[in-house]
Amino acid sequence: MNLPVIIDIIIGLVFIYLTLSLLASEIQELIATVWQWRAEHLKKSIEVLISGGSEGAKDPLQFKRVGQLAHSIYANPIIKDLNQGAKGLLSEGFRSVTHRLGDLYHGITGTKNVFGNKFSGPSYIPAECFSASLLETLKVSSLLSSISKTRLERFKDLQLAQIQQIGANLSLPDATQPIIEQEFRWLTAEFNRVVEDYQNNLASLNNSLDRMSEKLEFYIKDSQVYLPETEQGGREFQRQMAFVKARFDSKIERVALLGQLQPSFSNLLNTVKKSQESAAEIMELKEESPIYQQIQETLDRMPESLKRSLYILAQRAEKGSGDTQEQLERFQKEIEIWFDQSMERASGVYKRNARGVAILLGTAIAVAANADSIHIINRLSKDSMLRSTVNVYAEQLVEKNAKTKLDNLTSLRKVQKDVDIALDEVALPFGWSEQNSLERDKQGNLLWLALISKLFGWILSGVAISMGAAFWFEALNKIINIRNAGKKPPSSTES
């Protein structure tokens, strides 16, 4: 048997594998759609991510929190809007049928629907959508903002109390005392307005501190006019107020002040994890306050494993400079990286599972279609007419789809149409016809050697079919191009 014949046999065999792989791809895609394999695997992968791996499933309470939090994330509009279905009577009818089949599958297998009271979920979630949904579900942004507003309110009260005490300690004439008290009431009103603007999100924290510094400077100048130029009067007032104002104006003091007023999410997680008492003390909140209750409610929804993971991510985000908003943006980016890395591992698991299903499906198709690789090779090697016919259709298929890549259903179906034309014109060497049936002896009994050969041939075909249509189409393309390149006559040059 010469080399061209061997290449023709290989082309015929690859074409047959491609034909059966196209069928397997259609069936596997249909099964994946009906049973929501991709969407279910994604939801379970997110639950594994939240639970920190298999550890989270051991504690019933933590397991319950994982499920509840995952459902909450999926219920968020950011994720919910990703699960969009086609409109129309036909599309909705098909979805209804797939939902019923899914319910039947869960009923037979005794498994639960991972989507809760929903029928399906998105098959793909971008990292930025997951990160935004998680932070919004946990209300991290509003939580940190509320703490910051509470701290600024408390800081304002402490500063006013200190300023009032400075005024009370001065030895002032009776005529001057009411004027200083009036100036202090003005300063109190201005400080309250600054805090109110910040609480209404009308100004940033840094801007609010600048405004307080400006109001304090007006207060000092106006008060100084009415204070006597004595050691116990104006000079002492000016000296003590200089210390107060330095906390607003000094760059070093401002950095320290912002650090005190801006809450740290990693500090919040670490503090509350230690004890409620220390949390109340460090966060400067009373346990009965609404904000502290909000903190506890948020953290009670989080599994311990997620708290540990977010604590590490928050520490990374807080290494750089910037205000709370900038740190929160970096924190969101850290969550996106964490999510992407986890989904890469989950994708590998899904591919391995899909590969196992593909082998089982491919073997089932090989048996159902009686696609015995050994028998196919024998037929192609002995029947030159069959071999040449299959090669012609294989070459036509490659020529018509030279630029096609089988990376989606549309391209698969396009190639499938061209393959169907070939199937109508040529009888490929598989199927349960008499010519392809099991060999028997003269008495009609099955030959065991033939049966073993048939089983081995089916297994070979099943593994080959599981390689996928894209693999065999690319292989067919390359082999035909190599053969055609070898057939071209060498170019001659005229001297």
Side-chain angles (χ1 to χ4, degrees), residues 127-128 131 331-341:
E128 57 271 19
S131 179
F331 183 38
Q332 185 166 340
K333 290 294 182 184
E334 291 291 343
I335 294 176
E336 291 173 17
I337 296 171
W338 176 56
F339 178 78
D340 279 335
Q341 290 173 344

Side-chain angles (χ1 to χ4, degrees), residues 51 53-63:
S51 67
S54 59
E55 295 179 3
K58 295 179 181 179
D59 185 354
L61 177 60
Q62 300 302 317
F63 181 79

Side-chain angles (χ1 to χ4, degrees), residues 392-412:
V392 168
Y393 281 109
E395 192 162 355
Q396 289 177 355
L397 178 68
V398 169
E399 288 177 359
K400 289 178 68 176
N401 301 277
K403 297 182 179 180
T404 303
K405 288 186 177 181
L406 302 190
D407 54 358
N408 55 59
L409 278 176
T410 304
S411 56
L412 277 172

